[in-house]
Amino acid sequence: AQKITQTQPGMFVQEKEAVTLDCTYDTSDQSYGLFWYKQPSSGEMIFLIYQGSYDEQNATEGRYSLNFQKARKSANLVISASQLGDSAMYFCAMKSGYALNFGKGTSLLVTP
Amino acid sequence: DSGVTQTPKHLITATGQRVTLRCSPRSGDLSVYWYQQSLDQGLQFLIQYYNGEERAKGNILERFSAQQFPDLHSELNLSSLELGDSALYFCASRPDREVTDTQYFGPGTRLTVL
């Protein structure tokens, strides 16, 4: 069975600094996809970035990048130049059959 | 804005009651997914519909049911509600032709069972 592990329940970062949110996964599939979502306090789930297992380059979307290390089965999210609006829960997810299997999330607080 | 709409935004009801949550997917998306987010269970997949047909089932209780209508909107019906059903219920949709299989989530319906 697929499993997503996010070991950091909470993280702090100062505004304008970079922060890395950890995600490790376990799967026996050769082809898979990894996703990161952001959930602000308002509750909605916002798609941030996707990494396919066969993608040769690490995914980037603006200030978000994914540090994908396939051999270590890790897909860490890097947020550069943190902003106060980045304070939120962040979820790592993997496609499992037809659905998404989510980790427990990391709460990020950006301080001035 | 993901383009997925959900109504109502908040719902407060009593144990034993029945409620219906509604979701409209993004324009052109045939797939609709329902997820439940609770404090103890985290985010869990409930059920998926594709173009009106049930495609996959997750941890959905027998008291819960869903359907997708010809106009592609979907409804999640929760009956004989218990306190433990209090949660945030999300609907998501997925474009057919997108290689990444990314799911786009609606704003959620927060259900409180008293």
Side-chain angles (χ1 to χ4, degrees):
Chain A
Q2 296 185 341
K3 189 177 178 183
I4 297 284
T5 303
Q6 295 181 255
T7 56
Q8 307 152 312
M11 292 277 288
F12 290 90
V13 66
Q14 206 156 16
E15 205 176 0
K16 298 178 187 174
E17 297 292 313
V19 63
T20 298
L21 307 184
D22 294 342
C23 172
T24 57
Y25 59 91
D26 190 17
T27 182
S28 55
D29 293 343
Q30 294 301 309
S31 177
Y32 50 88
L34 294 152
F35 304 80
W36 277 91
Y37 286 84
K38 171 184 177 181
Q39 186 175 37
S41 58
S42 51
E44 71 267 35
M45 292 287 288
I46 302 167
F47 166 69
L48 295 178
I49 196 165
Y50 165 84
Q51 179 80 46
S53 58
Y54 287 117
D55 292 343
E56 293 183 355
Q57 306 267 359
N58 284 344
T60 59
E61 288 286 350
R63 293 186 299 109
Y64 304 109
S65 60
L66 208 150
N67 184 1
F68 181 49
Q69 298 187 46
K70 195 170 178 177
R72 297 181 64 181
K73 293 191 175 178
S74 75
N76 299 338
L77 178 69
V78 180
I79 305 175
S80 62
S82 296
Q83 301 172 355
L84 296 177
D86 293 334
S87 294
M89 283 290 292
Y90 289 82
F91 292 93
C92 180
M94 170 180 276
K95 187 167 175 291
S96 174
Y98 291 104
L100 291 175
N101 185 20
F102 286 86
K104 294 197 179 300
T106 295
S107 176
L108 176 67
L109 182 61
V110 181
T111 59
Chain B
D1 186 344
S2 68
V4 179
T5 60
Q6 289 186 250
T7 56
K9 194 167 176 58
H10 300 277
L11 200 47
I12 300 174
T13 188
T15 54
Q17 295 298 305
R18 174 189 167 92
V19 297
T20 297
L21 313 184
R22 184 188 166 105
C23 164
S24 291
R26 297 180 344 149
S27 177
D29 289 357
L30 302 180
S31 289
V32 167
Y33 303 77
W34 286 97
Y35 290 85
Q36 179 196 59
Q37 185 180 31
S38 61
L39 283 174
D40 51 346
Q41 298 289 334
L43 265 157
Q44 287 199 104
F45 166 66
L46 296 179
I47 197 164
Q48 182 210 354
Y49 277 79
Y50 178 82
N51 201 20
E53 299 288 329
E54 183 186 302
R55 174 68 67 89
K57 260 186 175 178
N59 297 322
I60 188 165
L61 299 172
E62 284 192 13
R63 301 182 285 109
F64 295 2
S65 65
Q67 56 185 136
Q68 186 179 26
F69 295 85
D71 67 352
L72 300 177
H73 92 269
S74 178
E75 293 181 357
L76 179 67
N77 300 296
L78 315 177
S79 61
S80 303
L81 285 167
E82 302 175 0
L83 295 177
D85 297 328
S86 295
L88 188 51
Y89 291 84
F90 285 109
C91 166
S93 75
R94 176 182 63 81
D96 259 10
R97 296 199 181 100
E98 193 173 290
V99 173
T100 65
D101 284 340
T102 299
Q103 294 180 23
Y104 297 91
F105 282 70
T109 292
R110 187 170 296 279
L111 173 66
T112 303
V113 183
L114 301 175

